[in-house]
Amino acid sequence: VAIGHQAGRVMTTGVENNLFGALAGDALTTGSYNVAFGKGALSSEDTGSRNVAIGSRALNSLNFDGNAYNIAIGYDAGLNMSTGTLNTIVGGAAGDALTTGGNNTAIGHEALSTEDTGARNTAIGEGSLKTLNFDGNGYNTAVGYNSGHEMTTGVKNTIIGSLAGDAVTDGQENTAIGYSSLSGEDSGGSNTAIGAQALGTQDGGNANVAVGRQAGLNITTGDNNTVIGGNAGDALTTGDNNIIIGKNAAASAVGADNETVIGTATTTNAI
C-alpha cells in the first residue's frame, strides 16, 4: 500500500510494505515488510526490510541491506541512521544522530540524541543520555528526566530518577537511583547511590555506597565509604573508608577516616 506523492515510486518486487506520505519509502525496490508513515519517512532504504518509521523524516537516511528491525517514531527520530540495526527510538529528535549504532533504546524528546556509532544503551526520559557519544558498547541505562544528561564517554552506568547522575561525563560503573542522586559527580566510578539526593554533591569520589534519603549528601572527594540511613553521614566531605549506619548517624568529623559508626544520632556507638 502506498499513499502520497511518489510514495514507493521505484518499488519493484518488495512485498507487504505500507507507505503513507509524500516521498515515504520512495527509494524502496525489493525491501519488504516495512512501515513508513510521514513525509520523507524511510526515504533512503532500498532493499532493507522489517523497519517501522512513523513521523516526518523518521529513519530518513537508513539504508541497511537486510532485516534491520529498527523502530523510529517521532519527528526526525533516527534521522541520520544509515546501517544501524535493532534500535527502538520513540520521541522527537530521539536518537537522531545515530548512524551505525545498534541495539539502542531511546524514548523521549532528544533522548540519546548525540550518539552515532555506540551500541547497547537504554535512555528513557526527555534529555536522558543526551550527550553520550561512546563509540562502542556503552551498556548505559538512564531512566528519568535528564538522567545521565551530560554523559559523554561513560560506560556501564545505571541511572534511574529525574536528574540522577546528570553531571556524569566519563564516569564508569556507577549506580544512581533516586531524584538527583549522584548529581554532582562527573568522572568518579564504582559508586552506588540509592535515595533522593544520595551522594548528591560528590565530585571525584570513588567506590562509595550511600543508601537513604540524602545519605552521604555532602561527600565530595571521599572514597570507599559505606553510608546507610536517612541523612546518614550527610556532613562527611573528604573522609575515606568509613562505615556509617543509622538515621542521622555521623562520623566524628567531616574529614574522618576509618571510622565505624552504628546507630541513630541519639544512640550512636562508635567503633
Side-chain angles (χ1 to χ4, degrees):
V1 177
I3 299 175
H5 175 67
Q6 294 190 342
R9 67 189 178 92
V10 296
M11 192 177 298
T12 55
T13 59
V15 299
E16 297 190 38
N17 294 289
N18 293 281
L19 314 174
F20 301 88
L23 304 178
D26 61 323
L28 279 170
T29 55
T30 61
S32 300
Y33 310 107
N34 295 292
V35 175
F37 197 114
K39 182 179 182 295
L42 201 69
S43 68
S44 298
E45 186 59 77
D46 50 8
T47 64
S49 299
R50 293 178 168 83
N51 296 289
V52 176
I54 300 175
S56 178
R57 302 198 303 175
L59 295 182
N60 179 265
S61 304
L62 183 68
N63 193 11
F64 177 80
D65 298 330
N67 294 322
Y69 297 106
N70 291 299
I71 296 174
I73 301 174
Y75 174 78
D76 278 359
L79 172 65
N80 290 298
M81 195 179 300
S82 55
T83 58
T85 61
L86 302 169
N87 295 288
T88 300
I89 301 169
V90 181
D96 60 329
L98 280 169
T99 55
T100 61
N103 304 91
N104 295 293
T105 300
I107 300 175
H109 174 66
E110 292 188 335
L112 200 69
S113 64
T114 304
E115 185 61 75
D116 50 7
T117 64
R120 294 178 168 83
N121 297 290
T122 299
I124 300 176
E126 180 182 353
S128 59
L129 296 183
K130 180 179 179 178
T131 57
L132 181 69
N133 195 12
F134 177 79
D135 298 330
N137 293 324
Y139 298 110
N140 293 296
T141 299
V143 180
Y145 170 76
N146 274 0
S147 55
H149 185 271
E150 298 298 322
M151 195 179 300
T152 53
T153 57
V155 298
K156 302 175 183 177
N157 296 287
T158 300
I159 300 170
I160 301 174
S162 294
L163 303 179
D166 60 328
V168 172
T169 54
D170 56 353
Q172 300 183 9
E173 299 180 342
N174 293 294
T175 299
I177 301 175
Y179 166 75
S180 201
S181 57
L182 201 69
S183 64
E185 185 59 74
D186 51 7
S187 299
S190 303
N191 297 289
T192 300
I194 301 175
Q197 296 181 304
L199 296 181
T201 57
Q202 180 181 301
D203 188 11
N206 294 281
N208 291 301
V209 176
V211 180
R213 179 183 178 276
Q214 294 189 345
L217 174 62
N218 289 299
I219 291 175
T220 52
T221 57
D223 298 328
N224 305 310
N225 295 290
T226 299
V227 182
I228 301 175
N231 298 104
D234 60 335
L236 194 66
T237 57
T238 59
D240 300 328
N241 308 310
N242 296 291
I243 298 173
I244 303 173
I245 301 174
K247 185 178 187 300
N248 294 324
S252 62
V254 297
D257 297 329
N258 306 307
E259 289 188 355
T260 297
V261 180
I262 300 175
T264 66
T266 58
T267 62
T268 297
N269 293 304
I271 302 174

